[in-house]
Amino acid sequence: MVVSATVARAQPVHDAIDVPFDLNANHIYLRATVNGSRPLWFLLDTGAEMSVVDSTVAASVGLTSVGSATARGSGEGTMKAGFAQGVTLAVGRAVAKGQTVVTLPLDALEPIDGRSIDGILGHDFIASFVVTIDYSQRRVSFRDPARFDSATIPAGERVPIEIVGGIPRIHGTVVLPGAETIDGVFTVDTGSRTALSLNTPFVRENALVNRIAESSLDAPYGFGIGGATKTRVGRIDAFRIGVVKFEKPVIGFSFGEKGVDASSSIAGNIGGELMRRFRVTFDYGRKVMVLEPNAALDDPFRYDAFGALLSLDGEAFQVRRVVEGSPASKAGIRENDRI
């Protein structure tokens, strides 16, 4: 998520804690509070430039929204947003004061994940700590950067990161048929369900990538602030981060003309389906990410080729999109059907 505004960054204010999380379609949900509120469900999202509180929730906990901005995500649409300043966000005893958060409606995302989304913990909160996500144990650790150095982690691939617009970027390598390789810069986005997506300019500018994309499946792939993505789904031979190699990953090839997927400043985006194979530490202050493989490292990459995007509507599923010629289409399923 990108918001067109500049805000001050928070400073760490508390020692580390270790908390459980729910993993929903590779999304990390934590219990958090806003200015000492009741516990709320927040998505931990390294792909969010700023933290977000749902507009209705913001009003219920007494936040005052000022100003206006345009929020843009993985879809082609935009949303109007406001800001609330001087906010205290806390996950248990991990507390960050003086935060500026975005206020905007998140209700469009809830039916896709099938659960409540009260807010998003983005860059300013994450940057206040050294954050370790242990996907296999379903726990997140928040450590005070002044008391913990990620260099003390005994094992794992240390990957240099650059923070641009509040979002971490790393170098990766796309491996194509014939062992052709293309290096690129990729954002690391725990708020993305998928393994890897390639941006529209990267797809179009590389002939072999474009040929693979054109022959791939038209399929529902992503949905975020701004709506659904325009993506085809296929595979490449491999993807590398440092010495870590992922064989035959499922790739989203973007054809969107707007939104972050249309940006030419990066090659693409790395998401939760790839990150869940590690215990991953983000140390923004020292500009490093540490990847410690877990038992899921060699899990095959799979994609549901049913051909329909569903959302939860009460006790039924609503069909949001059906791909022509897909199994869903051949079975007679149509957009706006309730199942």
Side-chain angles (χ1 to χ4, degrees), residues 199-218:
N199 280 14
T200 304
F202 185 86
V203 172
R204 288 178 172 170
E205 291 168 7
N206 296 282
L208 182 52
V209 175
N210 192 63
R211 287 199 297 273
I212 296 171
E214 292 286 357
S215 63
S216 297
L217 293 174
D218 181 12

Side-chain angles (χ1 to χ4, degrees), residues 35-48:
N35 289 351
S37 70
R38 70 189 187 281
L40 302 164
W41 283 110
F42 272 66
L43 175 68
L44 184 66
D45 187 358
T46 60

Side-chain angles (χ1 to χ4, degrees), residues 72-92:
R72 186 183 298 276
S74 56
E76 293 193 342
T78 61
M79 299 181 70
K80 294 298 182 182
F83 299 97
Q85 298 178 331
V87 176
T88 297
L89 296 175
V91 177

Side-chain angles (χ1 to χ4, degrees), residues 32-34 37 40 47 64-65 86 109 118 133 162 182 193 197 207 215 249 279 305 318:
T33 62
V34 180
S37 70
L40 302 164
T64 300
S65 182
L109 302 181
D118 298 312
I133 304 168
E162 181 182 11
I182 306 174
R193 303 172 185 83
S197 60
S215 63
R279 182 175 182 266
Q318 181 177 357

Side-chain angles (χ1 to χ4, degrees), residues 1-33:
M1 181 197 71
V2 177
V3 180
S4 54
T6 302
V7 298
R9 296 180 178 178
Q11 296 298 317
V13 295
H14 208 286
D15 289 340
I17 65 162
D18 183 66
V19 297
F21 67 81
D22 287 354
L23 192 65
N24 184 315
N26 293 327
H27 277 172
I28 299 165
Y29 284 95
L30 300 167
R31 284 292 199 180
T33 62

Side-chain angles (χ1 to χ4, degrees), residues 100-294:
T100 296
V101 303
V102 179
T103 58
L104 55 77
L106 296 175
D107 54 313
L109 302 181
E110 293 184 347
I112 303 298
D113 268 16
R115 62 172 298 153
S116 174
I117 304 175
D118 298 312
I120 298 171
L121 294 173
H123 171 264
D124 285 1
F125 184 84
I126 295 170
S128 299
F129 307 94
V130 175
V131 178
T132 297
I133 304 168
D134 191 332
Y135 280 93
S136 65
Q137 298 300 313
R138 303 291 194 269
R139 302 193 72 82
V140 177
S141 296
F142 297 91
R143 296 181 174 93
D144 184 342
R147 302 186 181 188
F148 180 80
D149 186 344
S150 59
T152 62
I153 297 174
E157 177 74 0
R158 294 179 59 81
V159 181
I161 62 175
E162 181 182 11
I163 307 298
V164 179
I167 300 172
R169 296 182 176 186
I170 68 170
H171 287 272
T173 302
V174 172
V175 183
L176 301 169
E180 179 178 338
T181 61
I182 306 174
D183 294 331
V185 175
F186 297 82
T187 47
V188 180
D189 182 4
T190 60
S192 170
R193 303 172 185 83
T194 59
L196 180 67
S197 60
L198 301 178
N199 280 14
T200 304
F202 185 86
V203 172
R204 288 178 172 170
E205 291 168 7
N206 296 282
L208 182 52
V209 175
N210 192 63
R211 287 199 297 273
I212 296 171
E214 292 286 357
S215 63
S216 297
L217 293 174
D218 181 12
Y221 193 69
F223 191 97
I225 292 174
T229 60
K230 291 184 177 180
T231 310
R232 299 184 72 87
V233 178
R235 293 183 188 271
I236 57 174
D237 278 19
F239 181 69
R240 293 201 306 260
I241 300 174
V243 299
V244 183
K245 186 176 182 180
F246 307 91
E247 300 284 353
K248 300 292 184 182
V250 172
I251 302 294
F253 300 94
S254 176
F255 286 84
E257 300 294 339
K258 299 178 182 178
V260 297
D261 293 350
S263 171
S264 61
S265 65
I266 56 171
N269 187 67
I270 297 165
E273 175 59 20
L274 192 149
M275 287 291 104
R276 72 172 182 83
R277 298 154 195 270
F278 299 93
R279 182 175 182 266
V280 54
T281 296
F282 293 97
D283 189 343
Y284 283 8
R286 297 174 180 86
K287 298 183 179 180
V288 68
M289 174 178 73
V290 183
L291 299 177
E292 301 172 85
N294 61 30

Side-chain angles (χ1 to χ4, degrees), residues 311-317 338:
S311 64
L312 187 63
D313 183 11
E315 295 183 354
F317 292 100
R338 284 173 58 84

